[in-house]
Amino acid sequence: MIDMKWMGDKVPNFGPRVRYGKKYTPSVIVCHISAGTIGSMDNWFRNPAAEASSHFGVGRDGSIHQYVRLENAAWTQGLTADAIPNARAPIVKQMGVNPNLYCVSIEHEGYVEGHMDENGQVVVENFGLDGNLTEIQFWKSCWLHKYIQSEVERIWGHHIQFGPQYDLGHFQIDPKRKSSCPGKNFPWARLYAELAIAETMDLAAYEERIEYRISGAADFTHAYAAAARVQDLENKLGDNTWGPAAESKLLQLAPIMPQINYQGVLTGKGIAFRIAELYQTLSANSPYSAEALRKLLIVYNHMITTGLL
Ligand SMILES: [Zn+2]
C-alpha cells in the first residue's frame, strides 16, 4: 500500500470549483517545486495569510501529504489577470478562467540549504530546487498522477489523458513569474514515458509496479550514476586536455566487460557504447530491463572499488 497523509484539517486556503454558477471538473494536473521543505509547506498552507495551498506535496523521502480535497480548488497557480493570455499551455488559454478551478496541483519538495565548511565558507547545497527529484520522489509522483486520474474518473466520470497536453508545469501557466517552477531539471521526458505505461493499467496494477520500482529505487539510482559517469567520460574523449585521462579511466572497466557481454574492441568508445546500450535497455522497460540492471550494478560496483565513482 502506498501511504498518503491527510494534512488538510487546518488548511483554510481553498475554494469551491465553481465560478459564476458553473462547476468545473478537475482536468489538468500541474507539477510544482516547493522552494522549501515539506515541513515548511505544511505550515505555510495552514497560514491564512499565505493564501496558498496545493492538493498534494511529495517529499524527497517519498512521503505524500494531501492538503486539499480534489473536490475543492487549491490555491496554487498564483494567478494574476495577465497570466492567461500569456500562458504557454493551449488548454489554459482555451479554458480562459482561473486555472485553480480545473487543476489538480502537486508540489514537489525542493530547496537549497547553506552551511559553513571547515574554512568558514558558505556552501550552498541544492536539494532539488532545480527540479531534480529523488528516485523515490519520482516514483511516488507517478503513483500520485495515477491516483488522481483514477479518483477523477470515479468521482466525475472524466478521464484525464496523461501527456503534455493535460499534465503541465507551473511555467506553462505563468511563464513570466513562474519560469523556474518546477525547475529546469524536472524529469518531464521520463515522467511522460512512465505515465504512458501508467495509462495502460488500472490503479491496483500500477501500484504494484510502483511498489516494485520503489523497492529497487536504490539500485536504479546506482545504475543511473554509473551510466551518467561513463557518459561524462565519453564526452571528454575527444578533448585535447582531458581525452587521454578519460580513455584510461574507461579502460579501467575492461576487466568486467566480459561479465556484461561485451565482445567488441576494448577502447574507451567501445566500452562507453556498451554501457549506454545497457542503460537504454533499462530505461525502455523492456523484458531485458532486469538483466540490464544487473549488469549495470556490476559496472557500478567496479566503479566504486576502482574510485571511478
Ligand atoms: Zn509552482
Side-chain angles (χ1 to χ4, degrees), residues 240-260:
N240 285 340
T241 316
W242 301 106
E247 176 79 17
S248 81
K249 282 181 178 162
L250 284 168
L251 285 175
Q252 287 185 42
L253 295 169
I256 55 153
M257 293 315 281
Q259 292 177 60
I260 63 167

Side-chain angles (χ1 to χ4, degrees), residues 96-139:
V97 291
N98 186 330
N100 288 337
L101 290 167
Y102 57 85
C103 287
V104 178
S105 40
I106 306 178
E107 283 283 1
H108 296 83
E109 182 184 30
Y111 57 98
V112 291
E113 209 168 71
H115 65 266
M116 294 279 195
D117 70 4
E118 58 273 28
N119 305 315
Q121 301 291 317
V122 177
V123 182
V124 177
E125 275 186 88
N126 190 338
F127 294 92
L129 187 61
D130 54 1
N132 255 319
L133 305 183
T134 65
E135 197 60 17
I136 192 163
Q137 191 180 24
F138 172 77
W139 291 115

Side-chain angles (χ1 to χ4, degrees), residues 34-83:
S34 64
T37 63
I38 195 156
S40 63
M41 220 191 301
D42 295 348
N43 293 330
W44 187 238
F45 295 162
R46 281 185 194 134
N47 181 352
E51 296 186 343
S53 64
S54 168
H55 290 98
F56 302 96
V58 184
R60 289 183 71 72
D61 64 357
S63 53
I64 303 177
H65 291 180
Q66 182 172 9
Y67 303 98
V68 175
R69 283 156 47 84
L70 285 173
E71 286 83 348
N72 289 319
W75 296 342
T76 326
Q77 328 308 333
L79 206 79
T80 51
D82 64 331

Side-chain angles (χ1 to χ4, degrees), residues 31-33 76 107 170 178 181:
C31 289
H32 300 261
I33 204 81
T76 326
E107 283 283 1
H170 199 177
K178 295 294 174 179
C181 184

Side-chain angles (χ1 to χ4, degrees), residues 264-286:
V265 193
L266 289 172
T267 58
K269 216 172 170 45
I271 288 169
F273 179 82
R274 173 61 182 147
I275 290 167
E277 196 175 54
L278 286 172
Y279 187 67
Q280 271 163 23
T281 307
L282 175 65
S283 324
N285 191 44
S286 81

